[in-house]
């Protein structure tokens, strides 16, 4: 099972919006609504930002939003702030008994 | 304070075994399914295994199936990962993570993560 495909890096200026894509297949992203997004600062544990494609856990800023179209999920961050600079990972349930959960390779967000 | 604390990592030779533990506190551990996720140095996240709230169901990634065993002791609020026949490619930071309380599905995202314990497999 291949990892989900994410851009290696994205960047934006404070106040702008950016979108990170996460492309899979009909077996994972396209076939289930169990897409999650995690934020990971260097040397820290991942933090859940979005679950079930578009839901935010309690305490996560509403500047973070998720969506899905076909085999591609997206994370949008609006009103970029310096503290958003981090690595972001998508993940999806696959329903495949060889690998139930697959992650993307990660995207480094730089706030210019 | 809701918390997960991993322990047991270290340097081990290929072919040897290691047992990781994850101590839970601040929530009802026996109600939560749990995952192990790993991250090789400088690399992305990789799912390893999941266990149901009562330990009756367990699923593994193919890369560790037959070598790793996930288990839990709800009386001690502890999650374990027994790692046998270790390989250099198992070198990674190992995180335990709680299935989010927002859901009844194991696959719906993990809302609490430990800080990780590093495992290095090298001769």
């Amino acid at each position: 099972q291949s990892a989900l495909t994410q851009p290696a890096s994205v960047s934006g200026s404070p106040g702008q919006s950016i979108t990170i894509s996460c492309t899979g297949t009909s077996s994972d992203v396209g076939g289930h609504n169990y897409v999650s997004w995690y934020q990971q600062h260097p040397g820290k544990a991942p933090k859940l930002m979005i679950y079930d494609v578009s839901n935010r856990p309690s305490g996560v800023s509403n500047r973070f939003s998720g969506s899905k179209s076909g085999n591609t999920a997206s994370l949008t961050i609006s009103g970029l702030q310096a503290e958003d600079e981090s690595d972001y990972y998508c993940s999806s349930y696959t329903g495949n008994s060889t690998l139930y959960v697959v992650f993307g390779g990660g995207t480094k967000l730089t706030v210019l | 304070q809701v918390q997960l604390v991993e322990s047991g990592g270290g340097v081990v030779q290929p072919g040897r075994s290691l047992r990781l533990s994850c101590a839970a506190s601040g929530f009802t551990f026996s109600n939560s399914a749990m995952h192990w996720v790993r991250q090789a140095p400088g690399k992305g996240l990789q799912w390893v295994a999941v266990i149901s709230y009562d330990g009756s169901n367990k699923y593994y990634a193919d890369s560790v199936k037959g070598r790793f065993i996930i288990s839990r002791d709800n009386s001690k609020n502890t999650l374990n990962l027994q790692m046998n026949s270790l390989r250099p490619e198992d070198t990674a930071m190992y995180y335990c993570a709680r299935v989010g309380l927002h859901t009844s599905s194991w696959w719906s995202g993990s809302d609490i993560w430990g800080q990780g314990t590093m495992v290095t497999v090298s001769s």
Side-chain angles (χ1 to χ4, degrees), chain B residues 10-89:
Chain B
V11 180
V12 61
Q13 293 180 328
R16 302 298 291 267
S17 298
L18 207 58
R19 184 178 178 87
L20 307 183
S21 294
C22 168
S25 59
F27 66 99
T28 306
F29 178 71
S30 58
N31 287 349
S32 294
M34 300 290 295
H35 291 274
W36 282 101
V37 176
R38 67 186 181 183
Q39 186 171 32
K43 303 296 184 181
L45 300 168
Q46 182 183 35
W47 178 77
V48 174
V50 65
I51 187 169
S52 60
Y53 71 98
D54 61 356
S56 63
N57 291 286
K58 308 169 186 181
Y59 298 102
Y60 300 89
D62 251 19
S63 58
V64 306
K65 193 178 296 183
R67 299 188 299 123
F68 290 11
I69 300 172
I70 189 172
S71 65
R72 64 191 299 158
D73 185 339
N74 285 345
S75 69
K76 297 181 179 178
N77 291 342
T78 300
L79 174 72
N80 301 301
L81 186 68
Q82 177 66 41
M83 303 187 297
N84 301 321
S85 302
L86 282 162
R87 304 167 180 169
E89 56 263 37

Side-chain angles (χ1 to χ4, degrees), chain B residues 91-113:
Chain B
T91 294
M93 182 73 77
Y94 283 74
Y95 296 100
C96 60
R98 182 183 80 173
V99 169
L101 294 185
H102 55 266
T103 178
S104 59
S105 171
W106 300 354
W107 318 112
S108 190
S110 294
D111 64 347
I112 301 295
W113 295 63

Side-chain angles (χ1 to χ4, degrees), chain A residues 64-84:
Chain A
F64 291 82
S65 63
S67 62
K68 187 182 83 167
S69 177
N71 298 335
T72 298
S74 299
L75 173 71
T76 298
I77 308 174
S78 59
L80 270 179
Q81 299 180 0
E83 63 257 34
D84 298 333

Side-chain angles (χ1 to χ4, degrees), chain A residues 72-109:
Chain A
T72 298
S74 299
L75 173 71
T76 298
I77 308 174
S78 59
L80 270 179
Q81 299 180 0
E83 63 257 34
D84 298 333
E85 183 162 300
S86 187
D87 292 324
Y88 291 86
Y89 293 91
C90 62
S91 75
S92 175
Y93 172 67
T94 71
N96 185 324
S97 63
T98 62
L99 184 62
Y100 288 88
V101 177
V102 63
F103 283 91
T107 297
K108 169 66 178 178
L109 168 62

